[in-house]
């Protein structure tokens, strides 16, 4: 079966095509991403309405590249039904630019051979989510194929199971603790019951803790802005911090609390105050401060995550989200969980760094697992496209 997946929850426009064999072997046919970094760089953050405009602009070209790479883009020799344009216009009523681009695509190309569409319907920036959701709905209407709405956070978790490794989906790896760390979220999630088809889901999830204010990625981004380093801050800070030993001068908010929650806004404020006192903001200062910021964030992430692993007897740690691409975070998690002390007998399940950040493939894999389970007796069925809505605050 072939799955077409669409991701527009933040500032990356992603479309992927995934082929899954009867024995659940995955073959990635395409995974195209258009980043909006250049647009948002000037502002040091993402403005939802600007991001929405970019998604409208990029979605059809990205979609065409994804189909072309998957060898599914075929020039049409039949007549596109003009009678369908009114309904498409209604579905894309709030995305007029996308409507025009989609109709010219549909006039020129045939329906690709895909079995269903999966699309991120939350959480994320709502105007951005709607672009992808309405696009998926329009395609579902025109081509008469089902749509599976996908939770973005679940996508960050399940992208780890794209290429089954010995531990992946092995019952012995569960319960697991997932740490999803991105620009919008920082959550510790208890992941249970592999193979449980209940509710049409592969796993059951329980959010144990999350950030009370800024997300970890947001903290990287805001601190980078204060230090004049550019956007997105995470990769830049990580690069600047390479080879620098932190001296632990910044606070570690909520480090000793008994819950699994985080708070990062105080850390950003501490960086702001410290920065005001520095007269010569040369490269050495920026590199040193980058190492301090990175280590402060890593310390709290590792502290709370290992606490959850111990408290729930987790057998594995699953990382996901943009911040999980951070080399130092991965290294320190490995050292802490698998090092000489080997405090915990835990498997580490990390995504390929390029699959840590937002992409369509994570939505394809999650759509596949949800669809596979929804086909089992007694579980939920694919939703009618009319019923799908975007929800910026969707919970896993
Ligand atoms: O998952 P993602 O692509 O988008 C959201 O769902 O938010 O995450 C983007 C975030 C940004 O805040 C970015 O600064 C951060 O991930 N990020 C990193 C690294 N790469 C991306 N943070 C730390 N180290 C990295 N190498
Ligand atoms: Zn994300």
């Amino acid at each position: 079966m072939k799955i077409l997946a669409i991701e527009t929850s933040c500032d990356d426009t992603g479309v992927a095509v995934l082929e899954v064999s009867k024995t659940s072997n995955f073959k990635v046919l395409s995974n195209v991403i258009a980043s909006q970094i250049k647009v948002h760089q000037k502002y040091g953050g993402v403005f939802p309405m600007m991001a929405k405009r970019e998604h409208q602009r990029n979605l059809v070209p990205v979609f065409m590249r994804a189909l072309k790479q998957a060898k599914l883009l075929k020039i049409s020799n039949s007549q596109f039904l003009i009678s369908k344009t009114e309904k498409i216009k209604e579905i894309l009523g709030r995305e007029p630019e996308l409507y025009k681009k989609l109709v010219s695509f549909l006039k020129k190309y045939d329906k690709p051979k895909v079995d269903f569409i999966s699309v991120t319907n939350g959480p994320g920036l709502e105007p951005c989510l709607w672009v992808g959701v309405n696009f998926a709905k329009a395609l579902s209407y025109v081509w008469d194929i089902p749509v599976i709405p996908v939770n973005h956070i679940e996508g960050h978790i399940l992208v780890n199971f794209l290429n089954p490794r010995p531990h992946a989906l092995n019952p012995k790896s569960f319960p697991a603790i997932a740490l999803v760390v991105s620009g919008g979220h920082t959550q510790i999630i208890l992941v249970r019951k592999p193979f449980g088809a209940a509710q049409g889901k592969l796993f059951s999830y329980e959010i144990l803790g999350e950030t009370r204010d800024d997300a970890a990625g947001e903290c990287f981004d805001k601190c980078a802005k204060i230090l004049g380093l550019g956007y997105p801050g995470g990769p830049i800070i990580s690069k600047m911090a390479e080879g620098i030993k932190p001296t632990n001068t910044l606070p570690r908010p909520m480090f000793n609390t008994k819950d699994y929650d985080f708070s990062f806004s105080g850390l950003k404020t501490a960086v702001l105050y410290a920065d005001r006192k520095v007269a010569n903001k040369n490269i050495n200062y920026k590199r040193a401060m980058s190492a301090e910021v990175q280590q402060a964030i890593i310390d709290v992430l590792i502290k709370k995550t290992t606490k959850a692993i111990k408290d729930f007897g987790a057998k594995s740690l699953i990382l996901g989200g943009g911040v999980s691409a951070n080399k130092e975070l991965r290294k320190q998690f490995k050292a802490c969980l698998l090092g000489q002390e080997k405090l915990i007998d835990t498997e580490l399940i990390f995504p390929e760094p390029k699959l840590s950040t937002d992409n369509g493939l994570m939505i394809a894999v999650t759509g596949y697992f949800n669809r596979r389970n929804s086909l089992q007796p007694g579980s939920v069925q694919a939703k009618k496209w009319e019923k799908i809505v975007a929800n910026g605050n969707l919970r896993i």
Side-chain angles (χ1 to χ4, degrees), residues 114-140:
V114 295
D115 298 271
F116 69 88
I117 300 168
S118 64
V119 63
T120 309
N121 74 323
L125 304 171
E126 218 155 284
C128 298
L129 289 165
W130 273 115
V131 177
V133 165
N134 285 338
F135 186 67
K137 288 168 100 163
L139 293 179
S140 173

mmCIF file of all heavy atoms in Angstrom, residues 114-140:
data_model
loop_
_atom_site.group_PDB
_atom_site.id
_atom_site.type_symbol
_atom_site.label_atom_id
_atom_site.label_comp_id
_atom_site.label_asym_id
_atom_site.label_seq_id
_atom_site.Cartn_x
_atom_site.Cartn_y
_atom_site.Cartn_z
ATOM 1 N N VAL A 114 -2.301 6.101 -4.841
ATOM 2 C CA VAL A 114 -2.045 6.015 -3.395
ATOM 3 C C VAL A 114 -3.309 5.498 -2.725
ATOM 4 O O VAL A 114 -4.410 5.727 -3.214
ATOM 5 C CB VAL A 114 -1.604 7.369 -2.782
ATOM 6 C CG1 VAL A 114 -0.266 7.827 -3.314
ATOM 7 C CG2 VAL A 114 -2.643 8.454 -2.982
ATOM 8 N N ASP A 115 -3.120 4.800 -1.604
ATOM 9 C CA ASP A 115 -4.274 4.181 -0.951
ATOM 10 C C ASP A 115 -4.966 5.100 0.029
ATOM 11 O O ASP A 115 -6.170 5.037 0.208
ATOM 12 C CB ASP A 115 -3.834 2.897 -0.243
ATOM 13 C CG ASP A 115 -3.307 1.912 -1.248
ATOM 14 O OD1 ASP A 115 -4.111 1.133 -1.761
ATOM 15 O OD2 ASP A 115 -2.092 1.962 -1.574
ATOM 16 N N PHE A 116 -4.174 5.914 0.720
ATOM 17 C CA PHE A 116 -4.813 6.915 1.579
ATOM 18 C C PHE A 116 -3.862 8.060 1.853
ATOM 19 O O PHE A 116 -2.668 7.991 1.556
ATOM 20 C CB PHE A 116 -5.378 6.310 2.869
ATOM 21 C CG PHE A 116 -4.354 5.816 3.849
ATOM 22 C CD1 PHE A 116 -3.812 6.656 4.800
ATOM 23 C CD2 PHE A 116 -3.951 4.488 3.833
ATOM 24 C CE1 PHE A 116 -2.879 6.200 5.712
ATOM 25 C CE2 PHE A 116 -3.018 4.013 4.739
ATOM 26 C CZ PHE A 116 -2.480 4.875 5.682
ATOM 27 N N ILE A 117 -4.464 9.127 2.424
ATOM 28 C CA ILE A 117 -3.688 10.328 2.745
ATOM 29 C C ILE A 117 -3.627 10.429 4.259
ATOM 30 O O ILE A 117 -4.636 10.199 4.928
ATOM 31 C CB ILE A 117 -4.414 11.583 2.196
ATOM 32 C CG1 ILE A 117 -4.570 11.481 0.683
ATOM 33 C CG2 ILE A 117 -3.693 12.859 2.598
ATOM 34 C CD1 ILE A 117 -5.521 12.528 0.101
ATOM 35 N N SER A 118 -2.459 10.744 4.811
ATOM 36 C CA SER A 118 -2.449 11.069 6.241
ATOM 37 C C SER A 118 -1.968 12.503 6.379
ATOM 38 O O SER A 118 -1.114 12.961 5.628
ATOM 39 C CB SER A 118 -1.614 10.078 7.053
ATOM 40 O OG SER A 118 -0.280 10.135 6.693
ATOM 41 N N VAL A 119 -2.572 13.199 7.331
ATOM 42 C CA VAL A 119 -2.266 14.630 7.485
ATOM 43 C C VAL A 119 -2.212 14.997 8.965
ATOM 44 O O VAL A 119 -3.001 14.496 9.760
ATOM 45 C CB VAL A 119 -3.317 15.494 6.732
ATOM 46 C CG1 VAL A 119 -4.727 15.321 7.299
ATOM 47 C CG2 VAL A 119 -2.940 16.972 6.768
ATOM 48 N N THR A 120 -1.270 15.865 9.312
ATOM 49 C CA THR A 120 -1.190 16.367 10.692
ATOM 50 C C THR A 120 -2.387 17.267 10.954
ATOM 51 O O THR A 120 -2.594 18.243 10.233
ATOM 52 C CB THR A 120 0.077 17.234 10.868
ATOM 53 O OG1 THR A 120 1.182 16.504 10.388
ATOM 54 C CG2 THR A 120 0.270 17.633 12.320
ATOM 55 N N ASN A 121 -3.163 16.935 12.004
ATOM 56 C CA ASN A 121 -4.282 17.843 12.337
ATOM 57 C C ASN A 121 -4.086 18.505 13.699
ATOM 58 O O ASN A 121 -4.956 19.196 14.192
ATOM 59 C CB ASN A 121 -5.632 17.118 12.241
ATOM 60 C CG ASN A 121 -5.889 16.176 13.377
ATOM 61 O OD1 ASN A 121 -4.957 15.524 13.854
ATOM 62 N ND2 ASN A 121 -7.127 16.072 13.818
ATOM 63 N N GLY A 122 -2.906 18.357 14.314
ATOM 64 C CA GLY A 122 -2.596 19.041 15.568
ATOM 65 C C GLY A 122 -1.572 18.241 16.329
ATOM 66 O O GLY A 122 -1.280 17.102 15.933
ATOM 67 N N PRO A 123 -0.965 18.765 17.370
ATOM 68 C CA PRO A 123 -0.995 20.176 17.746
ATOM 69 C C PRO A 123 -0.057 20.979 16.855
ATOM 70 O O PRO A 123 0.757 20.398 16.139
ATOM 71 C CB PRO A 123 -0.495 20.151 19.198
ATOM 72 C CG PRO A 123 0.413 18.955 19.261
ATOM 73 C CD PRO A 123 -0.137 17.960 18.290
ATOM 74 N N GLY A 124 -0.156 22.305 16.935
ATOM 75 C CA GLY A 124 0.695 23.170 16.123
ATOM 76 C C GLY A 124 0.051 24.532 15.972
ATOM 77 O O GLY A 124 -0.872 24.887 16.727
ATOM 78 N N LEU A 125 0.514 25.279 15.000
ATOM 79 C CA LEU A 125 -0.041 26.618 14.738
ATOM 80 C C LEU A 125 -1.304 26.433 13.901
ATOM 81 O O LEU A 125 -1.244 25.919 12.783
ATOM 82 C CB LEU A 125 0.978 27.485 13.990
ATOM 83 C CG LEU A 125 2.341 27.642 14.671
ATOM 84 C CD1 LEU A 125 3.337 28.318 13.744
ATOM 85 C CD2 LEU A 125 2.195 28.436 15.971
ATOM 86 N N GLU A 126 -2.431 26.829 14.459
ATOM 87 C CA GLU A 126 -3.704 26.474 13.811
ATOM 88 C C GLU A 126 -3.860 26.954 12.360
ATOM 89 O O GLU A 126 -4.271 26.160 11.501
ATOM 90 C CB GLU A 126 -4.880 26.903 14.680
ATOM 91 C CG GLU A 126 -5.961 25.863 14.604
ATOM 92 C CD GLU A 126 -6.871 25.832 15.801
ATOM 93 O OE1 GLU A 126 -6.488 25.326 16.872
ATOM 94 O OE2 GLU A 126 -7.982 26.324 15.630
ATOM 95 N N PRO A 127 -3.515 28.204 12.044
ATOM 96 C CA PRO A 127 -3.657 28.603 10.629
ATOM 97 C C PRO A 127 -2.818 27.723 9.701
ATOM 98 O O PRO A 127 -3.225 27.438 8.567
ATOM 99 C CB PRO A 127 -3.141 30.049 10.608
ATOM 100 C CG PRO A 127 -3.161 30.509 12.024
ATOM 101 C CD PRO A 127 -2.970 29.298 12.881
ATOM 102 N N CYS A 128 -1.657 27.281 10.187
ATOM 103 C CA CYS A 128 -0.776 26.432 9.381
ATOM 104 C C CYS A 128 -1.360 25.030 9.242
ATOM 105 O O CYS A 128 -1.374 24.448 8.148
ATOM 106 C CB CYS A 128 0.603 26.339 10.032
ATOM 107 S SG CYS A 128 1.418 27.925 10.128
ATOM 108 N N LEU A 129 -1.852 24.491 10.356
ATOM 109 C CA LEU A 129 -2.466 23.154 10.322
ATOM 110 C C LEU A 129 -3.606 23.102 9.322
ATOM 111 O O LEU A 129 -3.748 22.136 8.565
ATOM 112 C CB LEU A 129 -3.006 22.787 11.705
ATOM 113 C CG LEU A 129 -1.980 22.475 12.793
ATOM 114 C CD1 LEU A 129 -2.633 22.504 14.174
ATOM 115 C CD2 LEU A 129 -1.327 21.117 12.546
ATOM 116 N N TRP A 130 -4.420 24.162 9.295
ATOM 117 C CA TRP A 130 -5.588 24.183 8.394
ATOM 118 C C TRP A 130 -5.184 24.092 6.931
ATOM 119 O O TRP A 130 -5.919 23.537 6.113
ATOM 120 C CB TRP A 130 -6.435 25.438 8.632
ATOM 121 C CG TRP A 130 -7.450 25.256 9.724
ATOM 122 C CD1 TRP A 130 -7.490 25.906 10.921
ATOM 123 C CD2 TRP A 130 -8.587 24.371 9.723
ATOM 124 N NE1 TRP A 130 -8.562 25.478 11.675
ATOM 125 C CE2 TRP A 130 -9.251 24.536 10.958
ATOM 126 C CE3 TRP A 130 -9.098 23.440 8.815
ATOM 127 C CZ2 TRP A 130 -10.404 23.822 11.295
ATOM 128 C CZ3 TRP A 130 -10.245 22.717 9.154
ATOM 129 C CH2 TRP A 130 -10.884 22.916 10.380
ATOM 130 N N VAL A 131 -4.014 24.656 6.591
ATOM 131 C CA VAL A 131 -3.586 24.595 5.183
ATOM 132 C C VAL A 131 -3.451 23.127 4.766
ATOM 133 O O VAL A 131 -4.003 22.702 3.748
ATOM 134 C CB VAL A 131 -2.245 25.349 4.963
ATOM 135 C CG1 VAL A 131 -1.784 25.206 3.518
ATOM 136 C CG2 VAL A 131 -2.381 26.821 5.333
ATOM 137 N N GLY A 132 -2.732 22.342 5.576
ATOM 138 C CA GLY A 132 -2.530 20.924 5.254
ATOM 139 C C GLY A 132 -3.830 20.147 5.322
ATOM 140 O O GLY A 132 -4.125 19.316 4.441
ATOM 141 N N VAL A 133 -4.618 20.411 6.358
ATOM 142 C CA VAL A 133 -5.876 19.667 6.542
ATOM 143 C C VAL A 133 -6.832 19.947 5.376
ATOM 144 O O VAL A 133 -7.395 19.021 4.784
ATOM 145 C CB VAL A 133 -6.522 20.034 7.907
ATOM 146 C CG1 VAL A 133 -7.975 19.586 7.981
ATOM 147 C CG2 VAL A 133 -5.724 19.420 9.053
ATOM 148 N N ASN A 134 -6.995 21.207 5.012
ATOM 149 C CA ASN A 134 -7.924 21.530 3.911
ATOM 150 C C ASN A 134 -7.419 20.992 2.574
ATOM 151 O O ASN A 134 -8.210 20.568 1.730
ATOM 152 C CB ASN A 134 -8.172 23.042 3.838
ATOM 153 C CG ASN A 134 -9.100 23.487 4.960
ATOM 154 O OD1 ASN A 134 -9.853 22.681 5.499
ATOM 155 N ND2 ASN A 134 -9.035 24.754 5.317
ATOM 156 N N PHE A 135 -6.107 20.983 2.416
ATOM 157 C CA PHE A 135 -5.523 20.420 1.191
ATOM 158 C C PHE A 135 -5.844 18.920 1.117
ATOM 159 O O PHE A 135 -6.289 18.409 0.095
ATOM 160 C CB PHE A 135 -4.011 20.659 1.222
ATOM 161 C CG PHE A 135 -3.286 20.264 -0.027
ATOM 162 C CD1 PHE A 135 -3.496 20.942 -1.216
ATOM 163 C CD2 PHE A 135 -2.363 19.221 -0.017
ATOM 164 C CE1 PHE A 135 -2.810 20.597 -2.379
ATOM 165 C CE2 PHE A 135 -1.674 18.865 -1.171
ATOM 166 C CZ PHE A 135 -1.896 19.555 -2.356
ATOM 167 N N ALA A 136 -5.640 18.217 2.237
ATOM 168 C CA ALA A 136 -5.926 16.776 2.289
ATOM 169 C C ALA A 136 -7.413 16.514 2.035
ATOM 170 O O ALA A 136 -7.788 15.566 1.330
ATOM 171 C CB ALA A 136 -5.515 16.216 3.646
ATOM 172 N N LYS A 137 -8.269 17.368 2.587
ATOM 173 C CA LYS A 137 -9.704 17.192 2.409
ATOM 174 C C LYS A 137 -10.087 17.372 0.936
ATOM 175 O O LYS A 137 -10.886 16.601 0.383
ATOM 176 C CB LYS A 137 -10.475 18.204 3.273
ATOM 177 C CG LYS A 137 -10.412 17.873 4.766
ATOM 178 C CD LYS A 137 -10.905 19.011 5.612
ATOM 179 C CE LYS A 137 -12.309 18.811 6.059
ATOM 180 N NZ LYS A 137 -12.696 19.656 7.187
ATOM 181 N N ALA A 138 -9.502 18.389 0.308
ATOM 182 C CA ALA A 138 -9.806 18.632 -1.109
ATOM 183 C C ALA A 138 -9.365 17.434 -1.952
ATOM 184 O O ALA A 138 -10.104 16.979 -2.829
ATOM 185 C CB ALA A 138 -9.124 19.919 -1.576
ATOM 186 N N LEU A 139 -8.173 16.893 -1.663
ATOM 187 C CA LEU A 139 -7.684 15.734 -2.430
ATOM 188 C C LEU A 139 -8.568 14.521 -2.198
ATOM 189 O O LEU A 139 -8.871 13.759 -3.120
ATOM 190 C CB LEU A 139 -6.239 15.405 -2.042
ATOM 191 C CG LEU A 139 -5.160 16.431 -2.418
ATOM 192 C CD1 LEU A 139 -3.797 15.962 -1.935
ATOM 193 C CD2 LEU A 139 -5.131 16.673 -3.929
ATOM 194 N N SER A 140 -8.965 14.345 -0.948
ATOM 195 C CA SER A 140 -9.816 13.208 -0.604
ATOM 196 C C SER A 140 -11.145 13.290 -1.362
ATOM 197 O O SER A 140 -11.649 12.297 -1.895
ATOM 198 C CB SER A 140 -10.055 13.197 0.902
ATOM 199 O OG SER A 140 -10.992 12.227 1.244
#
